């Protein structure tokens, strides 16, 4: 394993696993998704660029999304979007920074993020699958659930990694070549 000089002694480099790359890609892609799509459910659409409004309209029309397409949005759903704007969006950048710089300090915030996000997405999935929405077929509900499912599974996998790994982005001692 290669190493670099980190202060007084050589520190082995951490090699991202496939799970790390999945988390990295998720956080990086979720920044524009949140900014340009999700937050249209919270803020006036007039502040968003036309390409974002077109993409949002496509999603609502193509997938018959009863939550994103409803007006007004349910208060509980708007509160989740507020959490996404105030808590999750900044966390994406912080998590990317921590991963890039091997910051183990991200553990507790990562556990909180994963638990919070999973809780909100479970509520969204339950609403999509079991709430009575006129004009939304069972097949449309299943497709929507599949679209939303990565936003449950990936944060849960991130929370799990943070919970079971004391130093998530630092190689284990036994990984060091002598």
């Amino acid at each position: 394993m290669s190493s670099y000089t980190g202060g007084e002694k050589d520190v082995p480099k951490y090699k991202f696993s496939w799970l790390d790359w999945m988390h990295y890609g998720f956080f990086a892609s979720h920044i524009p998704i949140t900014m340009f799509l999700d937050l249209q459910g919270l803020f006036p659409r007039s502040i968003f660029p036309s390409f974002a409004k077109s993409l949002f309209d496509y999603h609502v029309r193509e997938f018959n999304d009863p939550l994103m397409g409803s007006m007004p949005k349910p208060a509980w759903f708007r509160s989740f979007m507020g959490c996404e704007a105030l808590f999750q969006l900044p966390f994406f950048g912080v998590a990317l920074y921590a991963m890039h710089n091997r910051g183990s300090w991200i553990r507790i915030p990562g556990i909180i993020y994963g638990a919070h996000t999973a809780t909100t997405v479970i509520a969204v999935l339950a609403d999509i699958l079991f709430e009575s929405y006129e004009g939304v077929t069972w097949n449309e509900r299943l497709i929507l659930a599949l679209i939303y499912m990565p936003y449950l599974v990936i944060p849960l996998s991130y929370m799990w990694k943070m919970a079971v790994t004391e130093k998530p982005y630092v190689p284990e001692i036994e990984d060091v070549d002598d």
Side-chain angles (χ1 to χ4, degrees):
M1 177 176 278
S2 59
S3 60
Y4 72 95
T5 303
E8 296 179 20
K9 59 182 177 178
D10 287 341
V11 178
K13 288 184 180 177
Y14 176 77
K15 292 184 181 179
F16 271 21
S17 68
W18 68 268
L19 189 62
D20 295 325
W21 283 115
M22 182 181 67
H23 294 149
Y24 197 91
F26 177 80
F27 293 136
S29 67
H30 212 291
I31 292 170
I33 290 169
T34 297
M35 289 176 61
F36 293 117
L37 291 177
D38 295 352
L39 295 183
Q40 286 187 56
L42 184 63
F43 298 113
R45 291 194 68 209
S46 60
I47 69 171
F48 293 92
S50 60
F51 80 88
K53 290 188 271 192
S54 295
L55 195 54
F56 180 90
D57 292 340
Y58 170 80
H59 169 81
V60 170
R61 184 179 61 254
E62 185 67 23
F63 301 108
N64 200 12
D65 189 330
L67 288 172
M68 293 300 276
S70 66
M71 288 308 264
K73 308 266 183 282
W76 68 265
F77 190 63
R78 288 193 319 267
S79 71
F80 285 179
M81 291 181 160
C83 289
E84 186 171 359
L86 295 173
F87 171 61
Q88 293 180 29
L89 182 59
F91 179 81
F92 301 145
V94 170
L96 290 169
Y97 177 83
M99 293 175 81
H100 183 74
N101 291 294
R102 301 182 317 139
S104 295
W105 49 264
I106 196 67
R107 268 189 84 224
I108 300 304
I111 292 168
I112 294 167
Y113 161 79
H116 163 76
T117 302
T119 302
T120 62
V121 176
I122 287 169
V124 168
L125 288 170
D127 189 88
I128 287 170
L129 291 172
F130 305 116
E131 186 61 47
S132 177
Y133 287 110
E134 190 173 318
V136 182
T137 68
W138 184 244
N139 284 343
E140 289 170 327
R141 291 169 187 268
L142 290 177
I143 289 168
L144 275 171
L146 289 173
I147 290 169
Y148 283 105
M149 193 61 68
Y151 300 98
L152 170 65
V153 173
I154 295 172
L156 280 177
S157 70
Y158 187 74
M159 180 182 73
W160 172 80
K161 178 182 173 85
M162 297 298 110
V164 301
T165 311
E166 186 177 343
K167 293 185 179 181
Y169 302 115
V170 177
E172 298 291 326
I173 274 304
E174 57 267 15
D175 289 345
V176 178
D177 292 335
D178 291 327

